Amino acid sequence: MNRRVVITAALTGAADSPGKSPHVPVTPQQIADDAVAAARAGAAVVHVHVRHPETGIRSRDVALYREAAGLIRAADVDVVLNLTAGMGGDLVVDADDPLKPVDGTDLVNQHDRMPHIEELLPDIGTLDCGSYNFGDGQALYVSTTDMLREGAKRFQELGVKPELEVFDTGQLWFATVLREEGLIDAPGLFQLCMGVPYGAPADPGLLAAMVNLLPDDAEFTSFALGRDQLPWVAQSVLLGGHARVGLEDNLYLSRGVKATNAQLVQRAVTIIESLGASVATPDEARETFGLHR
């Protein structure tokens, strides 16, 4: 079991969730306020997407990342900043003409997924480790092996720690190949993402199998969606990993009770401490993950 657990708060994500809960932060100020509240509740890391302030729709606007990151860094709390670099991989194809992208497509090359990483140099940036069917219908997430090699190399050049987002076993296989090729510095930071249709199911036995496929010295976090999010804190910790909670992946504290990010972090703290483990501080997270201050 992991005795010192890093909690990541995934604050808002990219899904169509603001209309489902009033607690999902949308504007850079709201995102920063939630980051501060999550840090005070016990999160050592905050994972940030941004949204169009007027519509709440996902965005890759560097100016929005600049504003949110600036507000978080200027706040009176210490927290590790983790920015997504996974936006720009969405492809929705026409059912009759699969070569024709349709509404909902936001597909760009690897270079164009990373301008905010290059400018803002967060502690951590995410790298989604493969392509897959993204739910039902005609939507796919696209991240080819050549894109991933390019992204990993650029993270390395920038000195930003890549968090390897793994949604299935084949993606985990390739993530370990990146490390073997020297494009990921050992030991590597892996995020095992469970229950995202149609990646790896949120099955404890499958999580254990994926952990067994990790390099022996790797650090990992795991999360699951919806009602599985909070029980998954224990699953991950008991297998030697860290924890991720937040409104990106789950809107509820309990049945019918909508959560805030801070409340989900507080619940994760309770679970972790009940297992006899301790919650890592930001400095302990930097030490554990090998981050540059």
Side-chain angles (χ1 to χ4, degrees), residues 28 50 53 59-70 115-116 119-120:
V50 294
S59 175
R60 290 187 286 109
D61 189 334
V62 176
L64 295 175
Y65 278 106
R66 186 185 304 121
E67 183 178 356
H116 59 302
E119 176 181 331
L120 300 171

Side-chain angles (χ1 to χ4, degrees):
M1 187 181 84
N2 188 4
R3 294 292 179 180
R4 188 170 72 180
V5 180
V6 176
I7 298 176
T8 296
L11 302 174
T12 186
D16 184 21
S17 54
K20 299 176 182 177
S21 171
H23 303 306
V24 176
V26 171
T27 69
Q29 185 66 63
Q30 290 168 348
I31 291 167
D33 289 346
D34 262 33
V36 170
R40 287 178 175 156
V45 182
V46 289
H47 174 58
V48 175
H49 293 244
V50 294
R51 296 174 178 272
H52 290 289
E54 296 81 12
T55 66
I57 295 172
R58 65 180 188 245
S59 175
R60 290 187 286 109
D61 189 334
V62 176
L64 295 175
Y65 278 106
R66 186 185 304 121
E67 183 178 356
L71 289 167
I72 293 168
R73 286 169 164 166
D76 61 350
V77 299
D78 183 25
V79 71
V80 175
L81 183 61
N82 175 333
L83 298 184
T84 183
M87 303 298 290
D90 297 302
L91 173 62
V92 184
V93 300
D94 185 271
D96 297 319
D97 182 3
L99 293 177
K100 177 184 176 182
V102 297
D103 287 347
T105 294
D106 179 29
L107 184 61
V108 297
N109 62 35
Q110 185 63 42
H111 177 268
D112 290 340
R113 300 181 193 190
M114 301 185 67
H116 59 302
I117 302 293
E118 295 182 341
E119 176 181 331
L120 300 171
L121 298 177
D123 304 284
I124 301 169
T126 61
L127 189 64
D128 291 30
C129 287
S131 304
Y132 64 103
N133 289 325
F134 194 70
D136 291 310
Q138 297 295 114
L140 303 97
Y141 183 82
V142 178
S143 187
T144 68
T145 54
D146 281 353
M147 286 177 173
L148 288 165
R149 288 187 171 97
E150 179 185 348
K153 182 178 180 180
R154 189 61 181 139
F155 273 118
Q156 211 168 44
E157 292 167 348
L158 293 169
V160 174
K161 172 74 72 172
E163 182 181 75
L164 302 170
E165 305 284 292
V166 171
F167 293 84
D168 213 341
T169 52
Q171 295 186 17
L172 177 54
W173 180 5
F174 186 71
T176 63
V177 168
L178 288 175
R179 201 184 95 146
E180 291 166 2
E181 293 177 350
L183 294 170
I184 299 295
D185 296 330
L189 175 58
F190 294 76
Q191 178 73 259
L192 304 180
C193 312
M194 314 295 286
V196 179
Y198 286 102
D203 177 271
L206 180 56
L207 178 62
M210 292 174 74
V211 171
N212 287 337
L213 292 173
L214 290 168
D216 290 339
D217 56 352
E219 294 288 343
F220 80 92
T221 300
S222 183
F223 72 86
L225 301 188
R227 71 183 67 183
D228 292 318
Q229 180 182 85
L230 291 170
W232 214 255
V233 172
Q235 297 284 359
S236 188
V237 172
L238 290 171
L239 287 170
H242 304 279
R244 167 171 145 172
V245 293
L247 297 179
E248 175 171 350
D249 308 314
N250 165 46
L251 299 178
Y252 290 91
L253 190 64
S254 59
R255 185 178 180 86
V257 179
K258 290 181 178 177
T260 66
N261 279 305
Q263 288 172 331
L264 291 170
V265 172
Q266 289 165 352
R267 184 64 58 85
V269 169
T270 299
I271 294 168
I272 290 163
E273 291 180 344
S274 72
L275 294 172
S278 64
V279 175
T281 67
D283 277 341
E284 289 171 337
R286 292 182 182 100
E287 178 186 356
T288 298
F289 293 162
L291 303 177
H292 304 295
R293 176 69 189 203

